[in-house]
Amino acid sequence: MSDANSLLRSIPAMDQLLNIPMVAEFSATMGREFVKETITAALDSLRREICDEIFTFTDKTLGELVENRITTLLHQRSSSTLKSVVNATGVIVHTNLGRAPLANKALEAVSDIARTYSTLEYSLEKGGRGERNSHIEWLICHICGAEAALAVNNNAAAVLLALSTCAAGREVIVSNGELVEIGGSFRIPEILSFSTAIMKAVGCTNSTRIADYRGAVTENTAVLLKVHTSNYRIEGFTSCTSREELAELAAACGLVFIEDLGSGLLCPLGVAFTHPEHSARNCLEAGVDIVTFSGDKLLGGPQIGVIAGSKQIIDRMRNHPLLRAMRADKMTLAAFEATLRIYLSGRRDEIPVIKMIETDEGVLLKKARQLCAKLKQTAKTGEAKDISNDISFEVVQVDDAIGGGAFPTERLSGFGVGIQSASRSAESLALAFRTAPVPIIPGIRDGRVILHVRTLLDGDEERIISSFSNILSGY
Ligand SMILES: *Cc1c(COP(=O)(O)O)cnc(C)c1O
């Protein structure tokens, strides 16, 4: 502890730290108060590490270390932390990386609508109040074959609004095989309880029959709920009840049949999957009354939740007080309308998510070879020392994934560049990529860093090369 005490005592005083040239520069641009607050925060965390004895000395002196911590935190705090990254993981709808990148037309719409006043809730004909939902309702109806549609903040909100409207205080029958948890914070039993519905789980994990549902119906039952098992698949001896059978039972008993479809596929994909996903239109055609889905998964748009189906039921949701707390923002609606219009036009390869799914292997192989050659070239000819003996690059075959709660067991065969260093572990190399000026998020496999090319967007190859040059200069 005396060691700790003497370390704590040798931390320089505030005035002295404020005079470090780099720190003084920050004071000039960001203001002295901001810099003082940041120094205090950096020193607090360093002091805690010293007291908790988790602090380890590197080859730096304490003075250097303090200066380093302070300038690092100053840099962090004076630039945005929500920043653009290159997704080289091969996971197309990556929830941690912001799910779907938007189409150019969606971006243009956002920038137009955000910059100016708009017809968000204004009718040009009436010269007065209009409907925020009207911009996207007919488009969804047209694309999904629905009578009515409503957009809210995300699919979790859509499910909650649907259940709160149709089943508050009443029973909802759902299969034990479909009590889904998505990403740790969305769990069907919890959403049900929050909507004040009473959950009646029926059947078994691997098998639920129509008789199980029928046997559970009482006069207090309001809803049959089907949930898409987005992120897992039950295999082996399994059976689940078809939508048609559930629709028939719901109609016979006067119940509402709701499906939480999750991923929001709007059109069939040009890839053969063993277990294809159903589109929202498929669900409605099979007799589902209300289908809900996300806008930023397979659909490839912004974060939004769609409720589509029966007009009579959706009209009740329009008057629910929760709707106001869940409404979508104008930028989101602008991006969503533009994305739906791309579907309407039939040019769906303008939607990055769809394009990435449908890119064929030959194209990916070509991209991987090109990236590999450029990386090798950079390693040889960069201003930094030639490290081509330490580091090797190779085009490798990889498994890519759709992600975002769709096709949980399907893998897309793709290509990437495997990078291996003789002197550095894959983890340390991956860290260097992630913390480069333009962060590159790679995969890691078999002790190698892998840059999957399927999820690279226009301009990403240049970003990778520039970040890689930067890594080399500190190699
Ligand atoms: C993703 C998903 C949700 C949650 O949707 P968000 O748009 O993230 O709120 C709900 N249910 C299912 C089945 C999902 O796949």
Side-chain angles (χ1 to χ4, degrees):
M1 201 60 203
S2 69
D3 266 6
N5 280 333
S6 72
L7 272 178
L8 288 173
R9 269 197 307 274
S10 39
I11 293 177
M14 179 64 82
D15 282 343
Q16 204 179 328
L17 294 170
L18 284 167
N19 284 329
I20 298 172
M22 173 89 111
V23 175
E25 258 173 54
F26 272 102
S27 297
T29 53
M30 306 291 295
R32 200 176 155 86
E33 278 316 301
F34 162 82
V35 173
K36 273 172 96 171
E37 219 175 87
T38 307
I39 292 177
T40 307
L43 294 184
D44 281 351
S45 83
L46 188 62
R47 285 197 191 94
R48 264 196 307 277
E49 283 174 43
I50 293 174
C51 293
D52 296 346
E53 294 176 14
I54 51 171
F55 171 79
T56 46
F57 251 117
T58 53
D59 47 4
K60 291 190 175 69
T61 66
L62 183 72
E64 281 171 342
L65 191 84
V66 167
E67 184 173 335
N68 188 286
R69 291 288 184 95
I70 291 171
T71 49
T72 304
L73 195 59
L74 280 168
H75 276 293
Q76 272 174 12
R77 288 190 168 183
S78 53
S79 60
S80 45
T81 51
L82 178 57
K83 51 182 164 187
S84 172
V85 305
V86 171
N87 176 7
T89 65
V91 180
I92 297 172
V93 182
H94 196 306
T95 295
N96 301 140
L97 302 184
R99 290 194 180 159
L102 295 180
N104 285 333
K105 285 186 178 138
L107 296 177
E108 285 159 18
V110 171
S111 113
D112 263 6
I113 295 305
R115 206 193 324 254
T116 60
Y117 294 101
S118 65
T119 54
L120 180 65
E121 289 186 3
Y122 190 80
S123 157
L124 296 172
E125 290 73 28
K126 287 194 279 181
R129 198 184 152 76
E131 242 292 333
R132 150 185 314 249
N133 193 56
S134 64
H135 309 288
I136 48 100
E137 179 163 16
W138 76 268
L139 279 162
I140 297 173
C141 291
H142 176 81
I143 295 167
C144 305
E147 270 176 21
L150 196 54
V152 290
N153 197 36
N154 55 13
N155 185 35
V159 176
L160 181 58
L161 179 61
L163 291 170
S164 301
T165 305
C166 301
R170 300 182 59 198
E171 290 163 3
V172 172
I173 304 178
V174 57
S175 161
N176 271 310
E178 297 177 358
L179 299 179
V180 175
E181 171 182 298
I182 309 285
S185 53
F186 177 89
R187 299 173 121 193
I188 288 294
E190 286 169 15
I191 293 281
L192 274 163
S193 108
F194 201 71
S195 74
T196 74
I198 303 154
M199 181 174 88
K200 262 195 153 174
V202 298
C204 297
T205 307
N206 58 333
S207 165
T208 305
R209 300 187 186 89
I210 190 68
D212 298 320
Y213 288 93
R214 193 183 294 115
V217 176
T218 71
E219 55 199 34
N220 196 30
T221 305
V223 166
L224 296 186
L225 176 64
K226 182 168 179 61
V227 185
H228 181 51
T229 56
S230 305
N231 47 8
Y232 65 98
R233 170 171 295 282
I234 296 174
E235 298 201 346
F237 176 73
T238 62
S239 70
C240 73
T241 311
S242 72
R243 290 184 180 82
E244 286 79 2
E245 284 178 292
L246 286 169
E248 200 179 305
L249 177 63
C253 302
L255 309 176
V256 179
F257 179 17
I258 299 177
E259 173 157 0
D260 171 9
L261 181 61
S263 57
L265 183 64
L266 292 188
C267 58
L269 293 170
V271 179
F273 290 107
T274 330
H275 304 284
E277 296 265 327
H278 292 274
S279 69
R281 179 179 278 274
N282 295 151
C283 298
L284 293 170
E285 281 172 358
V288 171
D289 295 312
I290 295 290
V291 62
T292 77
F293 53 88
S294 301
D296 54 353
K297 292 183 177 173
L298 277 179
L299 195 153
Q303 179 193 301
I304 205 164
V306 176
I307 305 172
S310 148
K311 179 168 187 320
Q312 185 240 327
I313 300 168
I314 288 177
D315 282 345
R316 280 163 59 205
M317 296 184 198
R318 289 185 222 271
N319 297 318
H320 197 289
L322 262 182
L323 179 62
R324 174 57 196 256
M326 298 172 166
R327 71 183 190 185
D329 164 68
K330 63 184 174 193
M331 290 189 272
T332 308
L333 285 166
F336 194 45
E337 181 186 355
T339 307
L340 292 173
R341 283 182 187 282
I342 297 177
Y343 280 99
L344 187 69
S345 73
R347 285 192 294 270
R348 62 174 197 216
D349 67 347
E350 290 177 15
I351 295 174
V353 165
I354 305 285
K355 188 171 173 198
M356 285 178 194
I357 295 173
E358 294 183 344
T359 308
D360 73 54
E361 280 183 73
V363 172
L364 296 174
L365 178 59
K366 214 170 133 200
K367 265 183 136 180
R369 285 191 176 139
Q370 186 174 317
L371 178 62
C372 189
K374 285 199 178 159
L375 286 164
K376 277 185 185 160
Q377 179 91 17
T378 311
K380 259 209 194 94
T381 58
E383 291 157 30
K385 54 184 181 267
D386 179 354
I387 53 136
S388 44
N389 288 329
D390 179 77
I391 201 159
S392 67
F393 308 88
E394 196 188 350
V395 171
V396 291
Q397 186 149 29
V398 294
D399 280 342
D400 296 325
I402 294 191
F407 302 96
T409 55
E410 306 275 353
R411 286 291 167 268
L412 297 167
S413 175
F415 288 92
V417 180
I419 309 175
Q420 196 160 22
S421 154
S423 63
R424 295 175 73 164
S425 70
E427 281 71 20
S428 106
L429 203 52
L431 177 66
F433 271 106
R434 293 198 305 268
T435 52
V438 178
I440 315 294
I441 319 295
I444 295 183
R445 193 186 70 193
D446 305 331
R448 275 204 278 208
V449 162
I450 313 260
L451 302 173
H452 297 240
V453 296
R454 186 187 293 274
T455 43
L456 301 184
L457 297 162
D458 286 350
D460 278 355
E461 192 181 280
E462 290 72 33
R463 291 185 190 102
I464 291 175
I465 297 302
S466 129
S467 285
F468 184 58
S469 301
N470 193 277
I471 293 172
L472 290 182
S473 61
Y475 206 78

